[in-house]
Amino acid sequence: MHDYLLAWLVYLTAGFLMAIVVWKLSSKASSAWRGLIRGTYLVVPFTPWILADYPGFYAPAFVVLMMDLILNESGSSLAGALALLASFTFMLIFLSFWSFRKAKRSR
C-alpha cells in the first residue's frame, strides 16, 4: 500500500511540475486555445480509473486505456475511454460557459 501511495505522490508531483510548464507555454496563446490546451492537460493525466485486476486501486484513465488496448483486454478499456470522454465533455462545457461569461462581461 505504501508503494501505491508513493507512486501517486511522485506522479502528482511530476504532473504539477509539468502543469507549470504547460501554463507558461500556453500563456501566449489566444484565450480559447489557452483554455483548451490547459483543460486537455488537466483531463488526460489526472482522470483516474479503477484497475480491473486490483479492486480499490486507481490509475490514470489514459494509462488503463492504453494498457487494455495493448494487451487486448477489452473488458475495461471501454470504461476507461468513457471516463476520459466524460471528463472531456465536462471540460468543454465548463470552457463554453466560461467563454460566454467572459464575452458577456466584455460588452
XYZ file of all heavy atoms in Angstrom:
855
model
N 0.819 -1.198 0.000
C 0.000 0.000 0.000
C 0.857 1.255 0.000
O 0.508 2.230 -0.623
C -0.953 -0.043 1.205
C -1.896 1.101 1.243
S -3.054 1.017 -0.122
C -4.353 2.002 0.468
N 1.997 1.214 0.698
C 2.855 2.387 0.737
C 3.462 2.682 -0.620
O 3.636 3.844 -0.985
C 3.960 2.217 1.785
C 3.437 2.166 3.194
N 2.763 3.212 3.755
C 3.480 1.195 4.123
C 2.407 2.899 4.988
N 2.829 1.670 5.239
N 3.785 1.627 -1.381
C 4.327 1.827 -2.718
C 3.292 2.481 -3.627
O 3.630 3.318 -4.457
C 4.776 0.493 -3.327
C 5.970 -0.090 -2.608
O 6.700 0.681 -1.948
O 6.165 -1.316 -2.694
N 2.033 2.087 -3.463
C 0.941 2.653 -4.248
C 0.802 4.149 -3.976
O 0.713 4.964 -4.903
C -0.352 1.911 -3.905
C -1.604 2.475 -4.528
C -1.853 2.320 -5.883
C -2.543 3.152 -3.761
C -3.010 2.824 -6.460
C -3.699 3.649 -4.317
C -3.922 3.484 -5.668
O -5.065 3.988 -6.235
N 0.798 4.516 -2.698
C 0.680 5.930 -2.337
C 1.908 6.723 -2.765
O 1.784 7.874 -3.212
C 0.446 6.069 -0.834
C -0.875 5.503 -0.321
C -0.947 5.603 1.192
C -2.046 6.203 -0.970
N 3.081 6.133 -2.650
C 4.304 6.792 -3.087
C 4.290 7.012 -4.598
O 4.689 8.074 -5.087
C 5.533 5.976 -2.675
C 6.882 6.558 -3.073
C 7.105 7.902 -2.386
C 7.994 5.592 -2.730
N 3.807 6.025 -5.337
C 3.719 6.167 -6.793
C 2.785 7.313 -7.171
O 3.095 8.123 -8.053
C 3.249 4.860 -7.420
N 1.634 7.409 -6.490
C 0.722 8.510 -6.765
C 1.322 9.862 -6.372
O 1.134 10.862 -7.069
C -0.616 8.305 -6.047
C -1.606 7.584 -6.913
C -2.042 6.306 -6.744
C -2.260 8.094 -8.076
N -2.931 5.999 -7.742
C -3.089 7.070 -8.568
C -2.232 9.300 -8.749
C -3.881 7.219 -9.704
C -3.017 9.450 -9.885
C -3.828 8.426 -10.349
N 2.048 9.900 -5.280
C 2.691 11.138 -4.855
C 3.709 11.604 -5.893
O 3.726 12.784 -6.264
C 3.359 10.953 -3.495
C 4.093 12.176 -2.941
C 3.103 13.298 -2.661
C 4.859 11.810 -1.692
N 4.515 10.695 -6.379
C 5.504 11.030 -7.410
C 4.790 11.472 -8.690
O 5.162 12.465 -9.319
C 6.452 9.837 -7.672
C 7.294 10.064 -8.909
C 7.324 9.584 -6.462
N 3.753 10.732 -9.080
C 3.004 11.048 -10.303
C 2.357 12.428 -10.205
O 2.436 13.229 -11.147
C 1.942 9.974 -10.540
C 1.167 10.165 -11.812
C 1.704 9.788 -13.036
C -0.102 10.735 -11.804
C 0.997 9.967 -14.212
C -0.812 10.916 -12.970
C -0.261 10.527 -14.173
O -0.965 10.720 -15.333
N 1.713 12.718 -9.096
C 1.046 14.017 -8.932
C 2.051 15.164 -8.846
O 1.799 16.251 -9.371
C 0.136 13.992 -7.706
C -1.078 13.082 -7.824
C -1.830 13.019 -6.494
C -1.993 13.530 -8.945
N 3.195 14.931 -8.218
C 4.231 15.961 -8.151
C 4.771 16.261 -9.552
O 4.903 17.427 -9.935
C 5.378 15.521 -7.222
O 4.834 15.263 -5.927
C 6.442 16.584 -7.121
N 5.057 15.214 -10.310
C 5.534 15.410 -11.680
C 4.462 16.076 -12.538
O 4.762 16.939 -13.362
C 5.946 14.071 -12.291
N 3.207 15.693 -12.317
C 2.113 16.314 -13.058
C 1.960 17.782 -12.730
O 1.690 18.605 -13.610
N 2.135 18.142 -11.472
C 2.064 19.546 -11.072
C 3.204 20.343 -11.696
O 3.001 21.458 -12.196
C 2.098 19.665 -9.554
C 2.150 21.084 -9.075
C 1.032 21.897 -9.150
C 3.324 21.624 -8.574
C 1.076 23.220 -8.727
C 3.387 22.941 -8.145
C 2.261 23.737 -8.223
N 4.411 19.787 -11.683
C 5.548 20.479 -12.301
C 5.348 20.638 -13.798
O 5.674 21.682 -14.372
C 6.850 19.733 -11.994
C 7.260 19.729 -10.518
C 8.480 18.835 -10.311
C 7.532 21.139 -10.032
N 4.796 19.612 -14.436
C 4.519 19.714 -15.873
C 3.412 20.733 -16.138
O 3.423 21.417 -17.160
C 4.136 18.336 -16.419
C 3.969 18.296 -17.900
S 5.520 18.688 -18.717
C 4.975 18.762 -20.385
N 2.462 20.853 -15.214
C 1.398 21.845 -15.356
C 1.981 23.254 -15.389
O 1.504 24.114 -16.148
C 0.387 21.713 -14.234
N 2.992 23.491 -14.594
C 3.650 24.809 -14.617
C 4.231 25.077 -15.998
O 4.085 26.181 -16.545
C 4.735 24.888 -13.521
C 4.091 24.837 -12.138
C 5.581 26.144 -13.669
C 5.069 24.687 -10.998
N 4.860 24.072 -16.588
C 5.432 24.218 -17.932
C 4.327 24.461 -18.959
O 4.438 25.358 -19.812
C 6.264 22.967 -18.310
C 6.703 23.008 -19.764
C 7.452 22.821 -17.385
N 3.240 23.693 -18.879
C 2.121 23.853 -19.818
C 1.507 25.242 -19.675
O 1.197 25.901 -20.671
C 1.065 22.748 -19.615
C -0.203 23.030 -20.382
C 1.632 21.394 -20.006
N 1.345 25.711 -18.442
C 0.771 27.042 -18.219
C 1.662 28.117 -18.837
O 1.173 29.038 -19.460
C 0.590 27.283 -16.727
C -0.845 27.249 -16.306
C -1.580 28.305 -15.863
C -1.727 26.131 -16.282
N -2.837 27.902 -15.561
C -2.964 26.570 -15.812
C -1.584 24.785 -16.624
C -4.051 25.735 -15.674
C -2.663 23.945 -16.476
C -3.878 24.420 -16.019
N 2.961 28.009 -18.650
C 3.871 29.018 -19.204
C 3.902 28.968 -20.728
O 3.898 30.003 -21.379
C 5.277 28.843 -18.636
C 5.382 29.268 -17.183
C 6.815 29.307 -16.721
C 6.880 29.638 -15.257
N 6.839 31.038 -14.968
N 3.931 27.767 -21.301
C 3.960 27.641 -22.759
C 2.657 28.101 -23.407
O 2.669 28.622 -24.520
C 4.262 26.198 -23.166
C 5.674 25.702 -22.908
C 5.794 24.230 -23.268
C 6.694 26.524 -23.695
N 1.542 27.908 -22.725
C 0.257 28.281 -23.315
C -0.149 29.716 -22.995
O -1.196 30.172 -23.462
C -0.833 27.319 -22.843
O -1.020 27.432 -21.452
N 0.648 30.438 -22.257
C 0.263 31.797 -21.865
C 0.204 32.758 -23.050
O -0.504 33.752 -23.000
C 1.214 32.341 -20.806
O 2.520 32.453 -21.343
N 0.923 32.465 -24.118
C 0.918 33.341 -25.294
C -0.216 33.016 -26.270
O -0.465 33.765 -27.200
C 2.250 33.216 -26.026
C 3.451 33.547 -25.166
C 3.964 34.919 -25.461
C 5.324 35.106 -24.838
N 5.276 35.809 -23.586
N -0.904 31.906 -26.073
C -1.986 31.501 -26.971
C -3.226 32.362 -26.725
O -3.362 33.010 -25.688
C -2.319 30.029 -26.754
N -4.136 32.358 -27.705
C -5.388 33.091 -27.526
C -6.188 32.450 -26.394
O -5.924 31.318 -25.983
C -6.202 33.074 -28.817
O -6.672 31.767 -29.081
N -7.168 33.161 -25.911
C -7.920 32.721 -24.746
C -8.581 31.358 -24.971
O -8.552 30.494 -24.100
C -8.976 33.761 -24.402
O -9.749 33.345 -23.317
N -9.175 31.158 -26.142
C -9.858 29.892 -26.418
C -8.858 28.745 -26.486
O -9.087 27.678 -25.896
C -10.635 29.992 -27.723
N -7.768 28.937 -27.208
C -6.765 27.886 -27.323
C -6.085 27.622 -25.984
O -5.789 26.482 -25.642
C -5.714 28.236 -28.377
C -6.197 27.973 -29.761
C -6.547 28.901 -30.691
C -6.415 26.700 -30.364
N -6.965 28.285 -31.835
C -6.889 26.937 -31.663
C -6.264 25.396 -29.935
C -7.209 25.893 -32.533
C -6.575 24.362 -30.803
C -7.042 24.620 -32.072
N -5.846 28.673 -25.235
C -5.210 28.520 -23.928
C -6.074 27.650 -23.017
O -5.591 26.720 -22.369
C -4.962 29.893 -23.306
C -4.233 29.836 -21.996
C -3.876 31.219 -21.468
N -4.989 32.147 -21.469
C -5.006 33.310 -22.138
N -3.966 33.690 -22.853
N -6.044 34.102 -22.081
N -7.370 27.927 -22.979
C -8.275 27.128 -22.163
C -8.340 25.682 -22.624
O -8.359 24.762 -21.805
N -8.350 25.474 -23.932
C -8.411 24.114 -24.465
C -7.132 23.337 -24.175
O -7.186 22.167 -23.772
C -8.671 24.166 -25.966
C -9.058 22.863 -26.636
C -10.308 22.280 -26.003
C -9.275 23.095 -28.114
N -5.987 23.972 -24.336
C -4.706 23.310 -24.055
C -4.599 22.971 -22.576
O -4.256 21.847 -22.197
C -3.528 24.209 -24.503
C -3.476 24.319 -26.017
C -2.200 23.682 -23.958
C -2.555 25.415 -26.530
N -4.906 23.924 -21.731
C -4.798 23.696 -20.284
C -5.823 22.684 -19.800
O -5.526 21.829 -18.965
C -4.945 25.019 -19.541
C -3.775 25.941 -19.764
C -3.990 27.297 -19.136
N -2.812 28.141 -19.309
C -2.737 29.381 -18.876
N -3.758 29.937 -18.235
N -1.641 30.082 -19.079
N -7.043 22.776 -20.310
C -8.081 21.826 -19.919
C -7.744 20.406 -20.348
O -7.934 19.453 -19.589
N -7.236 20.270 -21.565
C -6.835 18.950 -22.051
C -5.714 18.395 -21.194
O -5.717 17.207 -20.846
C -6.398 19.021 -23.524
O -7.505 19.501 -24.305
C -5.957 17.664 -24.038
N -4.770 19.251 -20.832
C -3.687 18.776 -19.971
C -4.238 18.292 -18.628
O -3.794 17.282 -18.098
C -2.620 19.840 -19.727
C -1.604 19.322 -18.739
C -0.688 18.370 -19.127
C -1.638 19.705 -17.411
C 0.192 17.818 -18.217
C -0.763 19.166 -16.491
C 0.155 18.227 -16.903
O 1.011 17.672 -15.995
N -5.187 18.991 -18.056
C -5.725 18.581 -16.759
C -6.568 17.313 -16.852
O -6.571 16.499 -15.935
C -6.552 19.713 -16.147
C -5.756 20.936 -15.707
C -6.697 22.033 -15.240
C -4.764 20.576 -14.621
N -7.263 17.128 -17.974
C -8.129 15.959 -18.123
C -7.334 14.683 -18.360
O -7.558 13.671 -17.701
C -9.142 16.193 -19.272
C -9.782 14.890 -19.718
C -10.208 17.180 -18.844
N -6.415 14.711 -19.311
C -5.756 13.463 -19.721
C -4.940 12.825 -18.599
O -5.170 11.663 -18.260
C -4.923 13.665 -21.000
C -4.086 12.447 -21.303
C -5.830 13.977 -22.181
N -4.004 13.497 -17.982
C -3.211 12.775 -16.978
C -3.884 12.616 -15.618
O -3.497 11.752 -14.841
C -1.938 13.612 -16.845
C -2.307 14.959 -17.292
C -3.435 14.805 -18.263
N -4.896 13.422 -15.311
C -5.435 13.411 -13.954
C -6.823 12.798 -13.813
O -7.423 12.890 -12.741
C -5.434 14.824 -13.376
C -4.057 15.391 -13.247
C -3.699 16.527 -13.936
C -3.106 14.767 -12.465
C -2.425 17.056 -13.829
C -1.833 15.277 -12.351
C -1.489 16.422 -13.040
N -7.355 12.178 -14.858
C -8.623 11.466 -14.730
C -8.322 10.051 -14.253
O -7.691 9.275 -14.963
C -9.364 11.413 -16.082
O -9.626 12.739 -16.520
C -10.668 10.648 -15.947
N -8.750 9.700 -13.047
C -8.437 8.357 -12.540
C -9.458 7.324 -13.017
O -10.588 7.667 -13.364
C -8.528 8.537 -11.026
C -9.534 9.617 -10.854
C -9.383 10.533 -12.049
N -9.029 6.073 -13.022
C -9.945 4.982 -13.318
C -9.539 3.755 -12.520
O -8.381 3.587 -12.156
C -9.984 4.674 -14.808
C -11.166 3.816 -15.123
C -11.151 2.539 -15.579
C -12.541 4.159 -14.967
N -12.435 2.071 -15.709
C -13.310 3.050 -15.340
C -13.196 5.299 -14.523
C -14.697 3.042 -15.290
C -14.569 5.290 -14.485
C -15.307 4.179 -14.868
N -10.484 2.886 -12.271
C -10.277 1.700 -11.443
C -9.466 0.660 -12.217
O -9.724 0.406 -13.390
C -11.633 1.094 -11.039
C -12.461 2.122 -10.282
C -11.451 -0.173 -10.232
C -13.916 1.760 -10.148
N -8.504 0.048 -11.539
C -7.755 -1.058 -12.135
C -8.605 -2.320 -12.010
O -9.001 -2.699 -10.907
C -6.424 -1.259 -11.428
C -5.400 -0.144 -11.619
C -4.212 -0.373 -10.708
C -4.965 -0.071 -13.062
N -8.884 -2.976 -13.130
C -9.784 -4.130 -13.131
C -9.230 -5.282 -12.301
O -9.973 -5.958 -11.590
C -10.035 -4.584 -14.564
N -7.934 -5.515 -12.368
C -7.334 -6.643 -11.663
C -7.072 -6.358 -10.187
O -6.775 -7.286 -9.429
C -6.018 -7.049 -12.329
C -6.234 -7.565 -13.736
O -7.364 -8.027 -14.020
O -5.296 -7.506 -14.546
N -7.151 -5.100 -9.790
C -6.853 -4.705 -8.407
C -7.968 -3.794 -7.883
O -7.840 -2.573 -7.924
C -5.508 -3.975 -8.333
C -4.361 -4.795 -8.852
C -3.906 -4.637 -10.147
C -3.749 -5.739 -8.036
C -2.855 -5.402 -10.638
C -2.702 -6.502 -8.516
C -2.259 -6.331 -9.819
O -1.224 -7.092 -10.287
N -9.054 -4.369 -7.402
C -10.160 -3.537 -6.907
C -9.699 -2.617 -5.771
O -8.925 -3.013 -4.911
C -11.175 -4.560 -6.389
C -10.754 -5.880 -6.933
C -9.306 -5.783 -7.261
N -10.166 -1.386 -5.828
C -9.796 -0.414 -4.808
C -8.568 0.394 -5.162
O -8.208 1.316 -4.447
N -7.921 0.055 -6.264
C -6.748 0.791 -6.718
C -7.090 1.533 -8.006
O -7.851 1.038 -8.840
C -5.562 -0.150 -6.966
C -4.986 -0.717 -5.710
C -5.418 -1.938 -5.224
C -4.027 -0.017 -5.001
C -4.900 -2.459 -4.064
C -3.501 -0.533 -3.832
C -3.937 -1.757 -3.358
N -6.506 2.706 -8.143
C -6.773 3.547 -9.302
C -5.481 3.834 -10.051
O -4.389 3.786 -9.488
C -7.396 4.876 -8.871
C -8.787 4.721 -8.317
C -8.995 4.409 -6.983
C -9.877 4.884 -9.139
C -10.275 4.254 -6.480
C -11.164 4.735 -8.644
C -11.349 4.420 -7.322
O -12.617 4.266 -6.829
N -5.649 4.167 -11.336
C -4.542 4.603 -12.183
C -5.116 5.648 -13.130
O -6.343 5.751 -13.293
C -3.958 3.428 -12.959
N -4.265 6.443 -13.769
C -4.779 7.397 -14.759
C -5.546 6.658 -15.855
O -5.118 5.603 -16.332
C -3.517 8.057 -15.309
C -2.512 7.898 -14.209
C -2.827 6.587 -13.564
N -6.696 7.199 -16.237
C -7.567 6.524 -17.200
C -6.869 6.293 -18.529
O -7.077 5.258 -19.168
C -8.846 7.334 -17.403
N -6.019 7.229 -18.962
C -5.366 7.020 -20.249
C -4.359 5.872 -20.174
O -4.160 5.149 -21.148
C -4.712 8.312 -20.773
C -3.358 8.612 -20.216
C -2.217 8.238 -20.899
C -3.221 9.276 -19.008
C -0.963 8.518 -20.390
C -1.978 9.561 -18.496
C -0.840 9.176 -19.181
N -3.751 5.646 -19.019
C -2.825 4.519 -18.849
C -3.608 3.214 -18.869
O -3.202 2.243 -19.521
C -2.012 4.662 -17.541
C -1.182 3.419 -17.278
C -1.130 5.888 -17.594
N -4.732 3.171 -18.163
C -5.577 1.979 -18.157
C -6.062 1.682 -19.576
O -6.023 0.534 -20.026
C -6.765 2.157 -17.188
C -7.742 1.002 -17.285
C -6.266 2.324 -15.767
N -6.487 2.706 -20.284
C -6.959 2.540 -21.657
C -5.849 2.008 -22.557
O -6.049 1.046 -23.306
C -7.494 3.868 -22.191
C -7.922 3.897 -23.654
C -9.072 2.944 -23.889
C -8.287 5.312 -24.059
N -4.662 2.605 -22.490
C -3.555 2.159 -23.343
C -3.135 0.724 -23.022
O -2.899 -0.073 -23.930
C -2.349 3.092 -23.186
C -2.539 4.460 -23.780
S -2.795 4.355 -25.546
C -4.306 5.261 -25.693
N -3.041 0.397 -21.752
C -2.650 -0.970 -21.384
C -3.704 -1.984 -21.821
O -3.365 -3.076 -22.284
C -2.401 -1.069 -19.879
C -1.170 -0.324 -19.418
S 0.337 -0.831 -20.269
C 0.523 -2.482 -19.645
N -4.971 -1.640 -21.691
C -6.021 -2.546 -22.136
C -5.986 -2.737 -23.649
O -6.203 -3.844 -24.143
C -7.395 -2.042 -21.702
C -7.644 -2.231 -20.219
O -6.899 -3.019 -19.593
O -8.574 -1.603 -19.689
N -5.713 -1.667 -24.385
C -5.637 -1.785 -25.840
C -4.403 -2.569 -26.274
O -4.465 -3.383 -27.195
C -5.645 -0.399 -26.486
C -6.954 0.367 -26.365
C -6.792 1.777 -26.918
C -8.088 -0.358 -27.070
N -3.281 -2.333 -25.619
C -2.047 -3.041 -25.971
C -2.158 -4.526 -25.646
O -1.734 -5.382 -26.423
C -0.836 -2.417 -25.248
C -0.541 -1.039 -25.829
C 0.395 -3.307 -25.340
C 0.462 -0.232 -25.024
N -2.739 -4.840 -24.490
C -2.842 -6.231 -24.058
C -4.107 -6.923 -24.561
O -4.384 -8.064 -24.201
C -2.783 -6.308 -22.530
C -1.488 -5.775 -21.905
C -1.592 -5.779 -20.396
C -0.297 -6.588 -22.371
N -4.893 -6.219 -25.369
C -6.133 -6.748 -25.953
C -7.123 -7.235 -24.904
O -7.794 -8.230 -25.089
C -5.834 -7.877 -26.944
C -5.132 -7.373 -28.167
O -5.380 -6.254 -28.614
N -4.248 -8.188 -28.714
N -7.197 -6.543 -23.800
C -8.197 -6.838 -22.780
C -9.330 -5.843 -22.942
O -9.240 -4.707 -22.512
C -7.597 -6.723 -21.383
C -6.523 -7.740 -21.100
C -5.925 -7.560 -19.717
O -6.507 -6.813 -18.908
O -4.888 -8.159 -19.455
N -10.380 -6.270 -23.583
C -11.469 -5.344 -23.904
C -12.444 -5.137 -22.754
O -13.386 -4.377 -22.886
C -12.228 -5.846 -25.130
O -12.787 -7.110 -24.862
N -12.242 -5.792 -21.631
C -13.180 -5.708 -20.521
C -13.363 -4.316 -19.967
O -14.471 -3.839 -19.816
N -12.277 -3.636 -19.635
C -12.410 -2.324 -19.008
C -11.883 -1.193 -19.889
O -11.882 -0.057 -19.468
C -11.679 -2.310 -17.667
O -10.306 -2.529 -17.879
N -11.445 -1.505 -21.106
C -10.896 -0.439 -21.945
C -11.977 0.546 -22.353
O -11.735 1.741 -22.418
C -10.204 -1.013 -23.178
O -11.123 -1.718 -23.979
N -13.166 0.052 -22.627
C -14.258 0.950 -22.976
C -14.621 1.828 -21.795
O -14.910 3.011 -21.964
C -15.472 0.150 -23.448
C -16.672 0.958 -23.890
C -16.300 1.867 -25.057
C -17.813 0.051 -24.272
N -14.574 1.286 -20.602
C -14.908 2.072 -19.414
C -13.887 3.190 -19.203
O -14.260 4.319 -18.863
C -14.965 1.169 -18.186
N -12.594 2.912 -19.414
C -11.578 3.954 -19.304
C -11.770 5.030 -20.356
O -11.604 6.226 -20.085
N -12.129 4.612 -21.565
C -12.387 5.582 -22.631
C -13.610 6.431 -22.312
O -13.622 7.636 -22.574
C -12.578 4.851 -23.964
N -14.637 5.816 -21.744
C -15.824 6.577 -21.369
C -15.533 7.568 -20.252
O -16.087 8.667 -20.229
C -16.961 5.630 -20.961
C -17.606 4.857 -22.110
C -18.641 3.875 -21.573
C -18.243 5.798 -23.106
N -14.654 7.188 -19.329
C -14.258 8.117 -18.271
C -13.551 9.330 -18.862
O -13.817 10.469 -18.463
C -13.360 7.412 -17.262
N -12.655 9.096 -19.816
C -11.973 10.216 -20.472
C -12.953 11.058 -21.280
O -12.881 12.295 -21.265
C -10.851 9.704 -21.374
C -9.585 9.282 -20.664
C -8.634 8.611 -21.643
C -8.918 10.469 -20.016
N -13.871 10.400 -21.986
C -14.866 11.128 -22.771
C -15.741 12.001 -21.878
O -16.019 13.163 -22.204
C -15.720 10.141 -23.570
C -16.795 10.750 -24.451
C -16.156 11.600 -25.553
C -17.662 9.664 -25.057
N -16.163 11.460 -20.742
C -16.980 12.241 -19.811
C -16.190 13.427 -19.264
O -16.715 14.547 -19.168
C -17.464 11.353 -18.667
N -14.929 13.211 -18.936
C -14.096 14.310 -18.426
C -13.909 15.394 -19.481
O -13.983 16.582 -19.187
C -12.742 13.775 -17.982
O -12.891 12.899 -16.914
N -13.657 14.977 -20.736
C -13.526 15.949 -21.816
C -14.827 16.713 -22.021
O -14.816 17.930 -22.251
C -13.138 15.262 -23.128
C -11.666 15.209 -23.365
C -10.988 14.014 -23.301
C -10.943 16.354 -23.659
C -9.628 13.953 -23.515
C -9.588 16.304 -23.878
C -8.929 15.106 -23.809
N -15.949 16.020 -21.938
C -17.247 16.681 -22.118
C -17.478 17.727 -21.041
O -17.871 18.864 -21.353
C -18.377 15.630 -22.093
O -18.138 14.669 -23.122
C -19.726 16.277 -22.304
N -17.227 17.378 -19.783
C -17.392 18.355 -18.705
C -16.431 19.526 -18.867
O -16.791 20.675 -18.611
C -17.202 17.702 -17.339
C -18.318 16.781 -16.956
C -18.041 15.506 -16.506
C -19.637 17.178 -17.047
C -19.074 14.643 -16.156
C -20.678 16.327 -16.699
C -20.393 15.057 -16.253
N -15.211 19.259 -19.319
C -14.236 20.325 -19.535
C -14.713 21.263 -20.638
O -14.640 22.487 -20.501
C -12.871 19.724 -19.889
C -11.757 20.729 -20.061
S -11.300 21.164 -21.753
C -10.996 19.631 -22.537
N -15.230 20.708 -21.739
C -15.716 21.548 -22.838
C -16.947 22.354 -22.436
O -17.086 23.517 -22.828
C -16.006 20.691 -24.071
C -14.780 20.098 -24.747
C -15.200 19.139 -25.845
C -13.878 21.184 -25.296
N -17.834 21.764 -21.657
C -18.997 22.508 -21.158
C -18.542 23.656 -20.257
O -19.016 24.789 -20.392
C -19.970 21.566 -20.417
C -20.645 20.621 -21.401
C -21.006 22.350 -19.621
C -21.426 19.492 -20.753
N -17.604 23.376 -19.362
C -17.071 24.415 -18.485
C -16.430 25.536 -19.298
O -16.671 26.723 -19.045
C -16.058 23.818 -17.508
C -15.355 24.848 -16.676
C -15.985 25.416 -15.593
C -14.073 25.263 -17.005
C -15.348 26.381 -14.829
C -13.426 26.221 -16.259
C -14.063 26.785 -15.163
N -15.611 25.184 -20.292
C -14.958 26.207 -21.113
C -15.962 27.010 -21.926
O -15.775 28.212 -22.123
C -13.922 25.563 -22.045
C -12.658 25.060 -21.387
C -11.780 24.345 -22.413
C -11.891 26.186 -20.719
N -17.041 26.370 -22.382
C -18.076 27.086 -23.131
C -18.761 28.124 -22.246
O -18.919 29.282 -22.643
C -19.110 26.108 -23.677
O -18.527 25.230 -24.581
N -19.171 27.707 -21.050
C -19.802 28.655 -20.131
C -18.831 29.770 -19.746
O -19.224 30.933 -19.655
C -20.320 27.952 -18.878
C -21.603 27.218 -19.100
C -21.687 25.865 -18.836
C -22.726 27.873 -19.582
C -22.879 25.185 -19.041
C -23.913 27.200 -19.789
C -23.991 25.844 -19.522
N -17.587 29.416 -19.536
C -16.583 30.404 -19.157
C -16.369 31.425 -20.271
O -16.303 32.629 -20.015
C -15.278 29.682 -18.820
C -14.173 30.572 -18.386
C -14.107 31.355 -17.266
C -12.943 30.801 -19.073
N -12.919 32.027 -17.209
C -12.192 31.695 -18.317
C -12.417 30.307 -20.266
C -10.937 32.129 -18.721
C -11.169 30.727 -20.654
C -10.443 31.636 -19.879
N -16.298 30.968 -21.532
C -16.082 31.909 -22.634
C -17.307 32.779 -22.872
O -17.181 33.962 -23.182
C -15.687 31.169 -23.908
O -16.732 30.358 -24.361
N -18.518 32.200 -22.727
C -19.726 33.016 -22.870
C -19.799 34.066 -21.776
O -20.160 35.216 -22.026
C -20.989 32.148 -22.837
C -21.205 31.358 -24.090
C -21.563 30.029 -24.011
C -21.046 31.922 -25.344
C -21.762 29.281 -25.153
C -21.239 31.191 -26.488
C -21.599 29.865 -26.395
N -19.453 33.696 -20.572
C -19.465 34.641 -19.455
C -18.429 35.747 -19.667
O -18.693 36.916 -19.405
C -19.191 33.896 -18.155
C -19.310 34.736 -16.947
C -19.163 33.898 -15.703
N -19.117 34.777 -14.560
C -18.439 34.535 -13.474
N -17.751 33.404 -13.362
N -18.445 35.365 -12.474
N -17.263 35.358 -20.158
C -16.203 36.332 -20.400
C -16.596 37.287 -21.533
O -16.366 38.493 -21.440
C -14.917 35.596 -20.767
C -13.724 36.466 -20.865
C -12.479 35.638 -21.103
C -11.271 36.528 -21.258
N -10.059 35.764 -21.521
N -17.238 36.765 -22.587
C -17.675 37.602 -23.692
C -18.780 38.551 -23.241
O -18.829 39.712 -23.660
C -18.167 36.740 -24.835
N -19.685 38.069 -22.403
C -20.768 38.900 -21.911
C -20.248 40.028 -21.019
O -20.742 41.136 -21.050
C -21.752 38.025 -21.132
C -23.058 38.687 -20.835
C -24.010 37.706 -20.205
C -25.347 38.344 -19.972
N -26.294 37.410 -19.354
N -19.205 39.708 -20.226
C -18.609 40.704 -19.333
C -17.879 41.793 -20.117
O -17.816 42.936 -19.671
C -17.645 40.022 -18.381
C -17.733 40.551 -16.992
C -16.768 39.931 -16.045
N -16.706 38.481 -16.155
C -15.652 37.740 -15.850
N -14.562 38.317 -15.408
N -15.679 36.452 -15.967
N -17.307 41.447 -21.259
C -16.513 42.414 -22.013
C -17.363 43.365 -22.843
O -16.864 44.331 -23.391
C -15.519 41.684 -22.913
O -16.212 40.976 -23.925
N -18.660 43.117 -22.964
C -19.543 44.010 -23.745
C -19.830 45.283 -23.031
O -19.870 45.569 -21.980
C -20.868 43.328 -24.038
C -20.724 42.250 -25.053
C -22.074 41.743 -25.401
N -21.956 40.393 -25.938
C -22.972 39.682 -26.284
N -24.187 40.146 -26.172
N -22.818 38.489 -26.766
